[in-house]
Each structure stands twice: as structure tokens, then as C-alpha cells.
């Protein structure tokens, strides 16, 4: 950036355009392309001036080259009160070869920050190779409690590399009473295609840490075996409060393992298992364990191929959950009659209608049957008889709703 642009930056700073407060330095969303030390120099002047007070750095929404990153790193070396650093989305348009050295420069400057608790590296496409550029920070700075790595292209190998960094080794100032590895409390690793190898490696670390209160792993291509490994590891994280596995393949076996886990994670508040191919049988299994959880506030089971029996068993199992504020069941196959029963049960349990989220994409089984009936008029008598048999089976299923409700009520009372 030439001298003219440098002058514009200075004018912006004077006009407080760069959201710089006493304890926060933010360039969020300014869409700046910073290549050299000269590009960065006018921006970090207020940072240096407030070095003793700054606690939070936000660089997201700009693009930073290697030399610019070194300039930021030199400035960060002078900041000893940092608690939060947001480096999300800082390499848009950069060559892949630029990212590792730039990221290494900045993260190296954070290793000695003993008050640093929050680190966000989301939306940077550094992949498995790039993650090695900041593993030293993860290994050596054990003050980090909240880690965000969303949409980084980690893949299976990246998950394995990260797991080794989180496990780490003892640092030079460790005592015999220290534990190995990090003690992260909240982790977000979404949209990274960890798949089974990546999550299995990380699960072994989660088990050893035992410190998780929030875990968010949406859209990682994790299949049943990986979910089972994760569920078993989470039984060692007794203070888990939020779990997000949206758009992975939990299946019936995964639901069974998670059900066992939820018996011991008694402080769980928010659970997102939407679009996880759980099925009705899996949800019925989960409902049995969710009866143990008194702090439940939000549950998402959208697009999980759930029929009315499973939905009703879940709602009844949630009786006496005074903190329940949201139940998401959209995109399933709950008939009109089943939906009425579901709403009635929630009302009887003292829950308002707003607890149940939108059902706009629910595949109403009654409507499907009506469409089938129209098709029958165009088919031969044999086809009509077959369809009538199917309708009779559906009628029989509806008759079983009451027995399912009573069974789950008894279960909830027992718990």
C-alpha cells in the first residue's frame, strides 16, 4: 500500500474508524489487504500506545501477507495482558504457501501470553499442513481454554495432528503434580471433514482432558464408529453442557452409545443432533437417557426420520424439565394426529406452544396417505388392495401411540 493509502489509514484512525477501545484492538471486517510492514505500521500505532491495557485483538475480515504478519507479531510481543485473539478469516486470496509462515509468525508471538484464554482461527484454509504452523502455541501455552477451528480444511490428518498438539508434553516449568496436555473447556471444529480417523484421534484426547463444557463438531463426515468413540470419551467430561453433532451420521448404534453417555453428563443443557440419521428407534433410546437431565434447555432433532411415536416418547421423557425452552423436530414424518398429541403433551407438561419450533418442513404422513389414495384411483384393484393394507398398518401404528406414551411416562417417573 503506498503513502496515499497510509495517509487514509491514519485519517481513519483519527476518526475512530478502526474500533479501537482501551482494552480492544479491532480491524474486524475492514477488508484490508496488508502485504508489508509499511502497510501495517499506521494501523498498530494505537495498539502500541495501549499495550498495557489491551486484552482483546480482532483481525478477522482482512487479508494478511507474510511481512505484514511479522509486523503484527512484533507488536504483539509487547502485549502481556492479552486474553482473547481472533485471527479468523485473515488469509482470503492468499497463496497457500503464504499462510503457514504468516500464521507461524503471529502465533509464535502468543506463546508467552499467560492470560490468553480465547483463540479463534476459523475460516482460514490452511489444511493439515498449515496446522503445523501453530502447534507449538497449542503445546506450550496451556492457558488457552476456548479454541475455535471452524472451516479450516483440516481433514483426517489435520485432526490427528491437532490431537497430538492438544495432548502435548510437559513444559519446562511443570511440576510433578501437573497433568499432561491441554485443559480446553470449549472446542469448535466444524466443517473440517475430520471423518472417523480424525475424531477417533481427538476422542482419545477429550477422554484424557476431561474438561470439556462445550463441544461443537457439525458437518465433519463422522460416521457411526467415530460417533461411538466420541460418545465413550465424553463420559469422562462430566461438566459437558453443550454438544453439537449436526449433520454427522449417528445412526442407531451411535444413539445407543450417546444415550449411555447422557446418563453421566448430568449438566447437559443444549443438544444438537439434527440431520444425524438417528431414526425413530434411536430417538426412543435417547429419550430414556434424557429423562436424567434436569438442566436441558434446547434440543434439536430435525431431519432425523422421526415418526410420531418417537417424538411423543421424547416429549414425555422431558417432563419436569422446567428449563426446556426449545424443541426442534422439523423435517421429520409426524402425522397431524401425532403432532396434535405432541402439542397436547407439551401443554400438559406446562410448556407453551413456542417451545416446539417450526414444523414447516414436516412430512405430514396424513398428506402422504391422501396423495397415495389419489394414485390408487388410477391403479388396478390389486394395487388398491396393497395400498389399503399399508393404510391399515398405519392406523394400527396410531393405535399404539397411547401405549408408547404410557411406557415413557412410567420410565420418566422411575428416573
Amino acid at each position: 500500500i503506498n503513502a496515499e493509502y497510509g495517509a487514509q489509514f491514519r485519517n481513519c484512525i483519527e476518526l475512530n474508524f478502526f474500533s479501537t477501545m482501551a482494552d480492544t484492538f479491532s480491524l474486524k471486517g475492514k477488508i484490508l489487504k496488508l502485504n508489508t510492514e509499511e502497510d501495517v505500521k499506521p494501523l498498530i500505532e494505537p495498539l502500541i500506545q495501549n499495550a498495557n491495557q489491551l486484552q482483546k485483538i480482532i483481525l478477522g475480515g482482512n487479508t494478511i501477507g507474510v511481512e505484514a504478519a511479522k509486523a503484527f507479531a512484533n507488536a504483539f510481543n509487547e502485549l502481556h495482558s492479552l486474553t482473547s485473539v481472533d485471527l479468523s478469516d485473515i488469509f482470503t486470496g492468499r497463496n497457500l504457501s503464504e499462510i503457514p509462515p504468516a500464521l507461524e509468525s503471529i502465533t509464535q508471538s502468543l506463546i508467552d501470553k499467560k492470560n490468553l484464554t480465547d483463540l479463534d482461527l476459523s475460516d482460514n484454509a490452511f489444511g493439515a499442513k498449515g496446522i503445523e504452523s501453530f502447534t507449538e502455541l497449542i503445546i506450550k501455552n496451556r492457558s488457552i481454554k476456548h479454541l475455535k477451528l471452524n472451516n479450516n480444511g483440516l481433514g483426517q490428518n489435520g485432526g490427528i495432528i491437532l490431537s497430538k498438539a492438544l495432548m502435548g508434553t510437559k513444559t519446562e516449568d511443570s511440576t510433578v503434580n501437573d497433568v499432561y496436555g491441554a485443559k480446553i473447556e470449549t472446542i469448535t471444529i466444524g466443517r473440517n471433514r475430520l471423518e472417523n480417523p480424525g475424531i477417533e484421534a481427538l476422542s482419545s484426547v477429550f477422554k484424557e482432558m476431561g474438561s470439556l463444557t462445550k463441544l461443537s463438531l457439525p458437518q465433519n463426515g463422522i460416521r457411526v464408529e467415530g460417533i461411538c468413540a466420541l460418545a465413550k470419551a465424553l463420559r469422562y467430561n462430566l461438566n459437558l453442557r453443550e454438544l453439537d453433532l449436526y449433520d454427522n451420521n449417528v445412526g442407531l448404534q451411535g444413539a445407543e452409545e450417546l444415550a449411555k453417555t447422557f446418563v453421566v453428563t448430568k449438566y447437559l443443557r443444549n443438544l444438537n443432533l439434527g440431520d444425524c440419521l438417528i431414526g425413530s428407534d434411536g430417538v426412543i433410546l435417547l429419550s430414556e437417557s434424557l429423562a436424567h437431565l434436569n438442566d436441558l434447555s434446547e434440543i434439536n432433532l430435525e431431519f432425523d426420520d422421526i415418526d410420531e411415536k418417537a417424538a411423543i416418547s421424547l416429549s414425555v421423557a422431558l417432563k419436569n424439565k422446567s428449563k426446556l425452552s426449545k424443541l426442534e423436530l422439523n423435517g421429520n414424518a409426524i402425522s397431524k394426529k401425532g403432532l396434535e398429541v405432541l402439542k397436547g403433551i407439551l401443554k400438559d407438561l406446562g410448556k407453551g406452544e413456542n417451545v416446539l419450533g417450526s414444523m414447516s418442513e414436516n412430512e405430514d404422513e396424513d398428506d402422504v396417505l391422501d396423495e397415495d389414495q389419489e394414485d390408487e384411483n388410477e391403479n388396478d384393484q390389486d394395487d388398491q388392495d396393497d395400498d389399503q393394507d399399508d393404510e391399515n398398518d398405519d392406523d394400527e401404528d396410531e393405535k399404539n401411540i397411547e401405549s408408547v406414551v404410557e411406557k415413557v411416562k412410567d420410565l420418566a417417573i422411575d428416573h
Side-chain angles (χ1 to χ4, degrees):
I1 295 177
N2 58 30
E4 179 182 353
Y5 281 108
Q8 291 180 9
F9 285 146
R10 289 184 177 88
N11 290 336
C12 287
I13 292 171
E14 292 173 0
L15 294 172
N16 199 30
F17 183 73
F18 285 107
S19 303
T20 304
M21 298 179 291
D23 65 347
T24 301
F25 175 81
S26 176
L27 298 177
K28 183 176 181 180
K30 304 306 177 186
I31 320 178
L32 303 175
K33 187 172 184 179
L34 307 172
N35 296 317
T36 68
E37 181 180 356
E38 289 301 313
D39 295 341
V40 173
K41 187 176 179 180
L43 303 180
I44 61 177
E45 288 177 358
L47 184 151
I48 300 300
Q49 293 171 2
N50 294 290
N52 294 329
Q53 298 172 295
L54 276 174
Q55 297 180 19
K56 188 173 183 178
I57 300 291
I58 306 173
L59 299 183
N62 302 283
T63 179
I64 301 174
V66 176
E67 296 304 316
K70 290 180 180 178
F72 275 119
N74 289 334
F76 293 170
N77 283 330
E78 306 302 320
L79 309 179
H80 302 292
S81 300
L82 283 179
T83 61
S84 176
V85 176
D86 183 347
L87 303 174
S88 62
D89 189 20
I90 60 171
F91 297 121
T92 299
R94 296 289 171 181
N95 293 327
L96 187 59
S97 60
E98 294 182 84
I99 298 177
L103 191 56
E104 183 174 9
S105 293
I106 296 178
T107 56
Q108 286 281 319
S109 70
L110 303 176
I111 289 176
D112 65 342
K113 304 300 183 282
K114 296 183 178 181
N115 296 315
L116 182 64
T117 59
D118 294 61
L119 178 64
D120 189 349
L121 294 167
S122 299
D123 300 316
N124 294 307
F126 43 70
K129 293 183 179 180
I131 198 173
E132 295 178 349
S133 62
F134 64 88
T135 53
E136 188 173 359
L137 170 62
I138 301 297
I139 292 172
K140 292 185 176 180
N141 190 330
R142 294 307 189 188
S143 66
I144 297 173
K145 301 298 181 186
H146 311 287
L147 179 62
K148 292 184 179 180
L149 289 166
N150 199 55
N151 191 30
N152 299 116
L154 298 184
Q156 299 178 7
N157 291 335
I160 294 171
I161 294 170
L162 178 61
S163 70
K164 293 178 180 178
L166 289 170
M167 185 63 72
T169 58
K170 282 192 175 182
T171 56
E172 294 179 0
D173 60 351
S174 296
T175 67
V176 293
N177 293 322
D178 284 337
V179 295
Y180 287 92
K183 287 293 182 182
I184 308 292
E185 295 178 7
T186 70
I187 296 182
T188 298
I189 314 179
R191 300 181 64 189
N192 270 295
R193 299 303 304 178
L194 294 174
E195 300 180 343
N196 283 0
I199 196 57
E200 287 169 359
L202 286 167
S203 293
S204 64
V205 179
F206 298 158
K207 176 181 176 180
E208 294 299 321
M209 287 196 306
S211 54
L212 289 175
T213 61
K214 176 182 177 180
L215 180 61
S216 182
L217 298 167
Q219 298 181 310
N220 270 296
I222 304 170
R223 302 186 70 81
V224 173
E225 295 81 2
I227 295 294
C228 290
L230 175 64
K232 292 174 182 178
L234 292 180
R235 293 168 201 168
Y236 294 84
N237 293 264
L238 301 182
N239 291 315
L240 186 68
R241 285 167 170 77
E242 297 184 36
L243 179 62
D244 183 356
L245 297 177
Y246 173 77
D247 197 14
N248 291 288
N249 186 355
V250 172
L252 180 60
Q253 185 179 356
E256 183 177 3
E257 290 298 332
L258 285 172
K260 296 176 183 177
T261 298
F262 296 152
V263 172
V264 297
T265 56
K266 297 183 178 180
Y267 302 107
L268 191 68
R269 293 192 300 236
N270 297 340
L271 176 63
N272 188 347
L273 295 176
D275 204 7
C276 285
L277 302 176
I278 297 175
S280 293
D281 290 342
V283 169
I284 291 173
L285 277 175
L286 287 171
S287 70
E288 296 177 5
S289 66
L290 296 182
H292 293 267
L293 307 177
N294 294 323
D295 290 337
L296 276 176
S297 177
E298 297 184 9
I299 302 175
N300 187 337
L301 292 168
E302 294 181 324
F303 300 95
D304 274 321
D305 195 22
I306 302 171
D307 62 20
E308 68 268 22
K309 290 186 294 183
I312 294 169
S313 69
L314 173 67
S315 63
V316 176
L318 296 177
K319 67 177 299 185
N320 300 325
K321 301 296 183 290
S322 60
K323 299 178 182 178
L324 184 66
S325 61
K326 186 65 67 176
L327 177 60
E328 300 287 358
L329 295 173
N330 201 12
N332 288 296
I334 306 173
S335 68
K336 289 181 180 178
K337 179 177 180 180
L339 192 56
E340 290 174 0
V341 174
L342 174 60
K343 291 180 178 178
I345 290 175
L346 289 174
K347 183 177 181 180
D348 291 343
L349 298 176
K351 306 300 179 184
E353 292 186 0
N354 60 329
V355 170
L356 183 63
S358 169
M359 299 295 290
S360 61
E361 296 185 65
N362 178 58
E363 294 185 5
D364 191 323
E365 288 183 342
D366 290 341
D367 290 343
V368 173
L369 290 175
D370 290 341
E371 293 175 3
D372 288 344
Q373 186 63 50
E374 292 178 3
D375 292 338
E376 289 171 15
N377 294 332
E378 300 175 1
N379 296 332
D380 58 30
Q381 185 61 45
D382 290 338
D383 289 337
Q384 290 182 21
D385 291 341
D386 290 340
D387 288 338
Q388 188 62 50
D389 289 341
D390 290 338
E391 290 180 20
N392 290 338
D393 289 340
D394 290 334
D395 290 340
E396 186 65 28
D397 286 341
E398 290 186 3
K399 292 177 182 179
N400 290 331
I401 290 176
E402 184 177 351
S403 63
V404 173
V405 172
E406 292 304 319
K407 180 179 179 181
V408 180
K409 281 183 177 179
D410 292 341
L411 176 66
I413 292 172
D414 290 340
H415 290 316

